[in-house]
Amino acid sequence: MAFYHIISRREAALAVADLSTGSRSWPIWTHLGLMDIRQRYRRSRLGQFWITLSMALFVGGIGLVNASLFKAAAADYIPYLAASFTVWTLVAGLANDATGVFTQAAPFLRQAAIPKTVFVLRVMTRNLVAFAHNLAIVPMVFLVFGVWPGTTALLALPGLALLLAAGFCAVHAVGVLATRFRDLPQIMQNVVQLAFFLTPVMWRPEQLGPQARALLSFNPFAVYLSLVADPLLGRAPPLGTWLAGVGLLLPLAGVAWILFARFRARIPYWL
């Protein structure tokens, strides 16, 4: 089917305007994203630092238990868990929050013509803030166990950029579908839970055989996790992982564009 049969010129122009105007409205989406974090820990003594404390307790407790179960040295396993689980919280947070990006914004969307992209960037902002709080644990763990990733850690920046680009597209696509099909949030929660066990967060890829390890390149969660977590641990991701990250992003961006441009105007009526 020709592209213009899927999206009309008017729909494409309105979608571009939404993306452009929404991206420039950074005071709105940064305020909303930060307000979401503040509301979650309202009246708490520690406030947002509960995010950091929870991560520290998890890494310390589960790290010691799993190091014993996997018969690995704690000094080797706990830094790995700290880096991988920190990145996983960002990946899983974006996936889960994508299902409520527009339904959560229903009071705004029903009353004003606000660009839908504002609420996508709201989700991105609050997950990035939580990620920054969790990331503070990683250098502390590295310092305790004497881990120094060197300049390889800088590769985490382009990896994070790819992850955020994929997340931006996924939140748009999943957000549109979840607004129309209200069973999708429950489906996504189960998908993310299953992906947690199929992604090398608690275990290392080296623990798999060569054939099973090759299948990880078809797991988008594992690909984007590796692009950020591996450099933090001083390991440069192989070229194949970078290519997989780009290769997964391109069709995801295409699907997100089609869904958003085609059904953007219907979102307020589905709420």
Side-chain angles (χ1 to χ4, degrees):
M1 184 181 290
F3 182 74
Y4 60 83
H5 287 162
I6 301 175
I7 303 174
S8 68
R9 289 185 178 180
R10 183 175 182 275
E11 288 172 335
L14 289 173
V16 170
D18 190 296
L19 289 166
S20 176
T21 306
S23 299
R24 293 198 306 269
S25 303
W26 63 267
I28 301 176
W29 46 262
T30 52
H31 173 73
L32 290 174
L34 293 173
M35 186 175 66
D36 289 340
I37 296 291
R38 294 192 190 103
Q39 288 284 5
R40 188 180 303 174
Y41 298 97
R42 189 180 180 186
R43 296 183 182 275
S44 169
R45 290 296 184 96
L46 292 180
Q48 302 169 31
F49 290 98
W50 271 114
I51 303 173
T52 307
L53 182 58
S54 298
M55 174 63 72
L57 292 173
F58 179 89
V59 170
I62 299 299
L64 291 172
V65 171
N66 281 5
S68 177
L69 290 175
F70 295 147
K71 301 187 184 307
D76 184 50
Y77 179 76
I78 292 180
Y80 174 83
L81 177 64
S84 61
F85 192 73
T86 296
V87 179
W88 172 259
T89 58
L90 175 60
V91 174
L94 289 173
N96 283 320
D97 287 357
T99 58
V101 59
F102 299 126
T103 54
Q104 184 186 23
F108 299 100
L109 293 172
R110 286 173 179 157
Q111 297 181 38
I114 302 175
K116 313 300 184 294
T117 303
V118 164
F119 302 102
V120 173
L121 292 169
R122 171 193 189 178
V123 167
M124 302 290 292
T125 298
R126 72 167 177 251
N127 278 281
L128 272 173
V129 171
F131 174 67
H133 279 81
N134 288 330
L135 192 62
I137 292 298
V138 176
M140 297 179 189
V141 171
F142 285 5
L143 184 63
V144 169
F145 292 102
V147 176
W148 175 246
T151 56
T152 305
L154 296 175
L155 290 174
L157 295 176
L160 181 62
L162 270 178
L163 190 161
L164 293 177
F168 182 74
C169 297
V171 173
H172 269 97
V174 175
V176 171
L177 293 173
T179 306
R180 177 63 180 87
F181 303 103
R182 296 305 174 92
D183 290 328
L184 192 56
Q186 286 72 31
I187 294 172
M188 181 60 73
Q189 287 177 6
N190 285 281
V191 168
V192 172
Q193 187 175 27
L194 178 62
F196 175 73
F197 296 105
L198 298 178
T199 303
V201 180
M202 309 285 285
W203 47 271
R204 293 176 179 272
E206 294 78 14
Q207 294 176 268
L208 300 177
Q211 294 181 343
R213 198 184 312 164
L215 294 176
L216 289 178
S217 60
F218 297 97
N219 178 351
F221 294 94
V223 169
Y224 292 110
L225 177 76
S226 176
L227 289 176
V228 184
D230 283 359
L232 292 177
L233 293 163
R235 301 195 304 258
L239 178 60
T241 305
W242 291 103
L243 294 176
V246 175
L248 289 167
L249 174 61
L250 294 178
L252 177 59
V255 170
W257 169 252
I258 292 172
L259 287 172
F260 186 67
R262 184 73 178 84
F263 301 109
R264 184 194 62 83
R266 301 186 189 183
I267 291 173
Y269 300 99
W270 289 340
L271 295 172

